[in-house]
């Protein structure tokens, strides 16, 4: 349902921009990540869990564009594909949805040993450290399934979900607590929608590039470059927070051990205050961590990408590789 709502919203924007073009939502597909619900995401071991089947359809020309949650897209796309648009970001924070009996509470007011559901190693690692009195357990399934599991059983006192998904579903009233970046840094790309297209399909690429939100693109390029340099994925706890203000891009990035006891975190900034005019030569189709952003200044994109790489390199120089490889081994052994 959420995937459909997200796709509809992108198609609606395209219809407004191109009233003469006929857009058809041809296919609703299930992906590997949707089908395997009895295993933690971090254990399935497939890089493109939510994207492979959709990319196959793109490759076979059955569809011309695919709408994803950006956080589901790996930092390196298969050859021949690119992210042609990153739409304006919804609130990227994580949200706590409480069991009806805990309505009005916050995480620190829950009784000791209360069980919190999350399928994300990143959320669990940060919250275990912050709320050692609580227990964290895997919960899988789409939003509808997870909310049903929460409401109809007594297994969970609360579950953690992305605020953006709840908002898009019209369930904002279920958010009992928004977790600030101090409580819980979010996932790379969280809250942003990406439109994936065939890299050589100039007509479609030009069309969807009108959907780019420049600020969101720059933040997400920095976040994705950070993740890529760390070689992070959903099998290790990597988290970010990025903000853009007065032409300065600020990126906070962190890595965690599985139980959150060991972590490294730092913040860096760079100027992205460049105009489109002073571009040297054609670099229309340069990809930055899988994103082709035709209408965002190339110098700004390069600065954002370098910021992510430099921040990751800083954490690696302080020992991030060790934290992540231990987390990966422990996760594999679970």
């Amino acid at each position: 349902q959420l995937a459909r709502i997200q796709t509809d919203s992108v198609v609606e924007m395209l219809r407004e921009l191109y009233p003469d073009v006929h857009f058809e939502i041809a296919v609703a597909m299930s992906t590997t990540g949707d089908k395997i619900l009895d295993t933690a995401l971090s254990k399935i071991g497939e890089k493109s869990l939510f994207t492979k089947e959709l990319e196959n359809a793109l490759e076979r020309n059955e569809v011309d564009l695919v709408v994803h949650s950006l956080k589901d897209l790996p930092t390196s796309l298969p050859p021949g594909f690119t992210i042609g648009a990153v739409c304006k970001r919804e609130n990227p924070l994580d949200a706590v949805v409480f069991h009806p009996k805990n309505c009005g509470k916050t995480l620190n007011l829950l009784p000791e040993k209360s069980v919190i559901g999350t399928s994300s190693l990143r959320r669990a690692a940060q919250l275990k450290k912050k709320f050692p009195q609580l227990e964290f357990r895997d919960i899988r399934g789409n939003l509808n399934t997870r909310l049903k599991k929460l409401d109809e059983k007594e297994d969970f006192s609360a579950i953690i979900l992305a605020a953006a998904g709840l908002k898009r579903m019209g369930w904002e009233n279920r958010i009992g607590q928004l977790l600030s970046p101090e409580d819980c840094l979010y996932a790379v790309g969280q809250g942003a929608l990406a439109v994936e297209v065939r890299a050589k399909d100039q007509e479609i690429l030009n069309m969807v590039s009108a959907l780019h939100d420049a600020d969101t693109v720059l933040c997400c390029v920095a976040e994705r470059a950070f993740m890529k340099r760390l070689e992070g994925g959903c099998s290790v706890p990597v988290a970010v927070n990025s903000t853009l203000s007065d032409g300065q891009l600020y990126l906070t990035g962190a890595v965690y051990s599985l139980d959150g006891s060991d972590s490294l975190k730092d913040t860096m900034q760079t100027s992205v205050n460049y105009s489109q005019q002073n571009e040297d030569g054609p670099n229309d189709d340069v990809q930055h961590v899988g994103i082709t952003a035709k209408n965002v200044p190339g110098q700004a994109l390069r600065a954002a990408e370098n910021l992510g790489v430099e921040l990751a390199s800083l954490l690696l120089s302080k020992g991030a590789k060790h934290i992540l490889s231990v987390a990966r081994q422990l996760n594999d052994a679970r």
Side-chain angles (χ1 to χ4, degrees):
Q1 190 184 352
L2 178 61
R4 184 63 202 238
I5 286 171
Q6 292 181 166
T7 305
D8 287 343
S9 73
V10 168
V11 169
E12 208 40 59
M13 289 189 278
L14 286 168
R15 281 185 180 135
E16 275 179 31
L17 287 167
Y18 308 103
D20 301 341
V21 180
H22 172 68
F23 293 94
E24 188 183 339
I25 302 178
V27 218
M29 293 182 193
S30 280
T31 62
T32 312
D34 297 318
K35 289 171 190 156
I36 308 175
L37 292 181
D38 54 354
T39 311
L41 283 180
S42 54
K43 302 284 286 175
I44 303 173
E46 169 76 64
K47 219 178 188 165
S48 44
L49 274 182
F50 293 104
T51 58
K52 205 177 191 170
E53 286 83 351
L54 305 167
E55 280 167 350
N56 290 344
L58 205 50
E59 195 164 28
R60 292 192 297 265
N61 286 356
E62 291 167 14
V63 298
D64 296 305
L65 42 109
V66 179
V67 179
H68 302 278
S69 293
L70 181 59
K71 72 172 179 180
D72 291 340
L73 279 172
T75 50
S76 298
L77 297 185
F81 300 110
T82 188
I83 296 165
V86 179
C87 306
K88 189 170 172 57
R89 195 175 211 167
E90 184 52 86
N91 187 336
L93 299 179
D94 287 314
V96 190
V97 178
F98 291 91
H99 187 284
K101 69 173 185 219
N102 295 316
C103 204
K105 288 191 172 152
T106 54
L107 286 179
N108 54 354
L109 293 176
L110 288 175
E112 205 163 309
K113 297 268 187 282
S114 291
V115 177
I116 313 300
T118 173
S119 53
S120 154
L121 296 179
R122 170 190 61 80
R123 289 171 182 149
Q126 294 181 80
L127 296 172
K128 276 175 187 169
K129 176 90 192 262
K130 189 114 182 141
F131 304 100
Q133 75 281 18
L134 302 175
E135 286 182 15
F136 293 85
R137 214 174 287 159
D138 267 336
I139 184 168
R140 288 286 322 281
N142 60 36
L143 278 187
N144 308 52
T145 312
R146 279 184 269 177
L147 281 173
K148 208 172 154 138
K149 282 180 185 170
L150 171 71
D151 291 345
E152 294 181 4
K153 296 182 175 164
E154 295 289 321
D155 299 357
F156 298 99
S157 299
I159 58 176
I160 317 283
L161 300 165
L166 289 162
K167 210 166 168 187
R168 289 188 184 116
M169 293 285 276
W171 295 338
E172 215 174 340
N173 62 334
R174 287 303 308 264
I175 297 176
Q177 181 180 2
L178 268 181
L179 295 172
S180 71
E182 287 70 48
D183 291 327
C184 191
L185 295 174
Y186 44 81
V188 167
Q190 184 157 303
L193 294 183
V195 184
E196 190 179 13
V197 298
R198 291 179 289 274
K200 288 197 165 36
D201 199 334
Q202 284 300 327
E203 195 184 346
I204 299 285
L205 201 49
N206 288 335
M207 183 191 278
V208 300
S209 66
L211 300 178
H212 268 308
D213 176 71
D215 288 6
T216 303
V217 172
L218 292 170
C219 286
C220 291
V221 162
E223 293 172 17
R224 284 170 65 81
F226 173 73
M227 173 88 120
K228 186 175 185 175
R229 176 76 181 88
L230 288 174
E231 295 174 5
C234 63
S235 61
V236 286
V238 171
V240 292
N241 176 42
S242 59
T243 49
L244 229 171
S245 135
D246 297 332
Q248 289 290 313
L249 176 58
Y250 300 85
L251 178 66
T252 298
V255 300
Y256 301 89
S257 59
L258 287 193
D259 63 358
S261 60
D262 204 0
S263 66
L264 282 168
K265 177 176 164 184
D266 223 309
T267 303
M268 287 175 94
Q269 71 184 88
T270 190
S271 170
V272 286
N273 204 1
Y274 299 100
S275 65
Q276 191 75 29
Q277 280 71 42
N278 50 14
E279 291 299 291
D280 40 352
N283 69 344
D284 263 5
D285 292 345
V286 176
Q287 285 196 31
H288 296 271
V289 274
I291 298 171
T292 303
K294 285 173 170 280
N295 50 357
V296 180
Q299 283 172 286
L301 289 163
R302 288 192 289 278
E305 188 166 0
N306 289 338
L307 176 68
V309 172
E310 283 169 23
L311 181 59
S313 300
L314 175 66
L315 294 191
L316 287 168
S317 73
K318 292 179 173 180
K321 202 172 184 68
H322 176 69
I323 293 177
L324 291 176
S325 62
V326 170
R328 205 173 259 119
Q329 284 160 4
L330 285 174
N331 182 52
D332 290 345
R334 281 203 308 178

